[in-house]
Amino acid sequence: MRPSLNNATTRPSSSTVPPYLPFCHHSDLLSPKTSCFIPLFPSTKYPTLQNPKSPSYPHQDPSISPAFGSLVKASMASSEPSAGAATETKPFSVLFVCLGNICRSPAAEGVFRDIVKKKGLDSKFNIDSAGTINYHEGNLSDPRMRAASKRRGIEITSISRPIRPSDFRDFDLILAMDKQNREDILKAFNRWKFRETLPADAHKKVRLMCSYCKKHDETEVPDPYYGGPQGFEKVLDLLEDACESLLDNILAENSDIRGS
């Protein structure tokens, strides 16, 4: 997550930042010149999975050995997909992304999950969130965001994690909270696509969260990290607006989700 900075805004002094807020949660992390920059693009190797060697069978005519023929038929039958599996609809996958994955994106995940559940469609969706940096990996979301969401009846239980290459394969939509987040996501994709097997058009999955807003004119979800309680309420207002429209848009473009 990144605080909105302009000429009239200065970074707050350490005395104004609550003691549990790490100093490194700042947009300066995105600059490679900063000493506490945490790179998002580690070299990742995946172990090759090897199947155990198939057992050898005696070379003989199945018509001469009925038992062997039955074994072959059973094996062929087990490898054929059932009719139910062929018609099963894959859940629509949505990933919400911000800077540290402890304020905006986990709130977006919680809001969207709540809306989907109330419409009885939770089994049709796979919903998750991530960050463009790994500084907060393994942490719960910001307690102020959890408290603000809980007052609206929304529980945030996600654990922070950084975005990873497989996200570009596994998710149908990747929603960035602001333009810098979107830029960092696309940079990650452009680096990873040369060493990972990723869909060539995966960059088209990345969209701005506020592009779905109907009641608000903002183009970005502001980072509330260094602000007061009103900042968290504003974020939730924007997310509730955008998530309602997002679901309507997904259902309109994927009629099989509602009908399956």
Side-chain angles (χ1 to χ4, degrees):
M1 301 187 172
R2 190 190 63 266
S4 177
L5 300 178
N6 53 47
N7 294 333
T9 305
T10 58
R11 189 190 306 184
S13 64
S14 58
S15 62
T16 62
V17 181
Y20 58 84
L21 303 183
F23 176 76
C24 275
H25 182 94
H26 194 276
S27 58
D28 287 346
L29 287 174
L30 297 173
S31 172
K33 297 180 180 179
T34 306
S35 59
C36 66
F37 172 72
I38 301 172
L40 175 62
F41 319 115
S43 176
T44 305
K45 296 183 179 179
Y46 300 94
T48 301
L49 299 180
Q50 298 181 344
N51 293 325
K53 184 181 295 183
S54 301
S56 58
Y57 294 100
H59 180 69
Q60 56 181 318
D61 189 341
S63 61
I64 299 175
S65 176
F68 184 77
S70 299
L71 178 62
V72 173
K73 292 179 181 179
S75 177
M76 292 175 64
S78 63
S79 64
E80 295 177 357
S82 63
T87 58
E88 185 178 354
T89 302
K90 178 185 175 183
F92 192 92
S93 298
V94 182
L95 181 69
F96 300 96
V97 182
C98 65
L99 178 61
N101 191 214
I102 60 168
C103 288
R104 294 169 292 172
S105 55
E109 177 189 346
V111 169
F112 191 64
R113 193 182 298 278
D114 183 67
I115 293 173
V116 166
K117 184 176 181 180
K118 287 178 178 177
K119 293 184 180 294
L121 297 171
D122 45 322
S123 65
K124 311 297 182 184
F125 284 87
N126 174 37
I127 307 167
D128 199 2
S129 61
T132 59
I133 61 172
N134 61 3
Y135 185 79
H136 298 286
E137 184 173 6
N139 294 343
L140 288 169
S141 59
D142 190 296
R144 297 167 298 171
M145 181 57 84
R146 280 185 279 137
S149 297
K150 191 171 184 178
R151 287 193 291 270
R152 301 191 185 204
I154 300 169
E155 294 288 341
I156 299 178
T157 59
S158 61
I159 301 298
S160 175
R161 72 165 177 89
I163 192 172
R164 52 198 177 215
S166 59
D167 291 331
F168 292 99
R169 292 190 295 266
D170 299 339
F171 289 89
D172 299 295
L173 274 179
I174 300 176
L175 282 305
M177 295 298 114
D178 61 38
K179 295 174 183 177
Q180 184 64 60
N181 298 154
R182 180 179 62 182
E183 181 179 334
D184 292 336
I185 293 168
L186 293 176
K187 284 181 179 178
F189 171 71
N190 287 331
R191 288 178 64 97
W192 287 332
K193 69 180 181 181
F194 294 108
R195 58 174 183 257
E196 301 280 344
T197 303
L198 302 177
D201 62 346
H203 61 282
K204 296 180 181 179
K205 300 178 179 182
V206 185
R207 304 179 187 177
L208 282 173
M209 189 76 230
C210 280
S211 66
Y212 290 93
C213 284
K214 289 186 175 180
K215 302 174 184 177
H216 297 83
D217 297 327
E218 283 85 351
T219 58
E220 299 179 297
V221 180
D223 191 338
Y225 195 80
Y226 287 115
Q230 70 280 2
F232 292 89
E233 298 297 335
K234 178 64 175 181
V235 166
L236 289 170
D237 289 342
L238 291 171
L239 294 178
E240 287 179 345
D241 180 12
C243 284
E244 285 281 2
S245 178
L246 171 62
L247 179 58
D248 290 342
N249 186 272
I250 292 173
L251 294 179
E253 295 181 357
N254 301 271
S255 58
D256 55 318
I257 296 178
R258 187 186 295 274
S260 60

